[in-house]
Amino acid sequence: MPDVEVTEFAFPSGSEQPLLVRPDGEAIALLLYLHWFDEAPNANRTQFLDEATAMAEIGFVSLLPQLEFPWKSPPTGLPADADRIRSQSKYLTRLVTSARSHLAIDRLGIVGHDFGAMHGARVARGLESRCNVFIAPTPRWSDWFLRFWPIDDDRYDYMRAMEPLDPLTAVGEIDAPTLYQFAKSDFYIAPMTGLELFGQAKEPKTMIPYDADHSLDSAEAGSDRREFLQKHLGG
């Protein structure tokens, strides 16, 4: 089994340094893994650590940052929520730009779950990712924020103001091959919600539903992800 190194990537921003998982040898491509929001112990930068380690064994470098919004601070309303979404996007863009330069790797794949997928959709086009895997995202930030947090703004004013930042807007601008993974027994995301997002997405695109819940902790889903990434990034 090839040697795999797990360290922190020194980056002058964010409360926690991203994890960097790399093979002992030349790298095929860079993967950006963006975690989900939950009360589970892995709802942080470690969520995809096992998968990143497996990918390193076949030549991929992975970057696993700790996301901050809404993990570190809850949604409160406009304009703060919009500003924090933009700030998270800027952080991820700077991080990947720095990692590409430091590691001398240009080819990028993005994997995100839940809020991680929603943030990933926002930066995919600007970072010119070669492929993406979005796991259980919702079309709009308001789908989550207005449902689970006390926000005093008028519902429709809030939705209109957030629309330019929504994943539903972003996926219509992504040209890279993208795999959308959804769960058939997702308490939070109805089948029509996933179909709305997928319908707005540009080709080439693929959607796979799984017999799973919102965690999508499925060996089949993981295998499909790895196969998809290898197909579009090499290895």
Side-chain angles (χ1 to χ4, degrees):
M1 182 180 296
D3 291 334
V4 174
E5 180 183 47
V6 181
T7 59
E8 289 189 330
F9 181 68
F11 187 66
S13 182
S15 58
E16 291 183 69
Q17 296 299 304
L19 294 175
L20 180 66
V21 184
R22 59 193 306 181
D24 180 18
E26 186 175 354
I28 295 170
L30 174 66
L31 300 174
L32 176 66
Y33 279 104
L34 304 174
H35 60 85
W36 69 327
F37 182 96
D38 195 75
E39 295 179 353
N42 71 342
N44 53 48
R45 63 181 184 162
T46 68
Q47 181 188 357
F48 291 105
L49 183 56
D50 288 346
E51 183 168 318
T53 300
M55 295 300 286
E57 292 171 358
I58 57 173
F60 289 83
V61 175
S62 294
L63 199 59
L64 297 83
Q66 177 62 49
L67 301 175
E68 298 203 346
F69 182 67
W71 291 263
K72 302 294 184 181
S73 59
T76 56
L78 298 168
D81 294 349
D83 289 343
R84 284 180 287 189
I85 291 169
R86 293 189 187 97
S87 178
Q88 189 73 86
S89 297
K90 290 177 182 177
Y91 165 77
L92 292 172
T93 299
R94 293 196 306 268
L95 173 63
V96 171
T97 300
S98 176
R100 277 172 157 163
S101 176
H102 178 78
L103 301 168
I105 303 173
D106 182 64
R107 191 177 302 175
L108 173 71
I110 298 175
V111 178
H113 183 192
D114 182 83
F115 279 122
M118 296 168 75
H119 284 298
R122 278 190 40 77
V123 299
R125 184 186 182 192
L127 290 173
E128 298 183 334
S129 58
R130 296 287 186 92
C131 64
N132 314 286
V133 182
F134 297 144
I135 308 161
T138 63
R140 303 169 184 83
W141 298 100
S142 58
D143 294 341
W144 289 112
F145 294 169
L146 293 176
R147 183 178 176 186
F148 294 105
W149 280 275
I151 293 174
D152 293 331
D153 295 300
D154 176 83
R155 176 181 183 85
Y156 297 104
D157 288 345
Y158 187 90
M159 292 173 67
R160 280 191 291 269
M162 296 289 275
E163 183 178 358
L165 306 177
D166 282 335
L168 190 65
T169 301
V171 298
E173 300 175 350
I174 296 172
D175 296 313
T178 302
L179 170 62
Y180 294 83
Q181 297 185 309
F182 288 99
K184 295 179 181 178
S185 301
D186 196 322
F187 174 80
Y188 303 100
I189 303 176
M192 289 303 296
T193 303
L195 287 170
E196 180 186 14
L197 185 68
F198 183 72
Q200 182 66 23
K202 292 180 69 174
E203 297 283 0
K205 59 183 178 180
T206 303
M207 183 172 71
I208 305 178
Y210 298 88
D211 290 319
D213 60 18
H214 185 68
S215 69
L216 267 158
D217 186 13
S218 157
E220 182 184 3
S223 177
D224 288 345
R225 257 194 319 275
R226 293 189 293 273
E227 181 179 339
F228 181 85
L229 293 168
Q230 287 181 259
K231 175 183 177 180
H232 293 287
L233 293 171

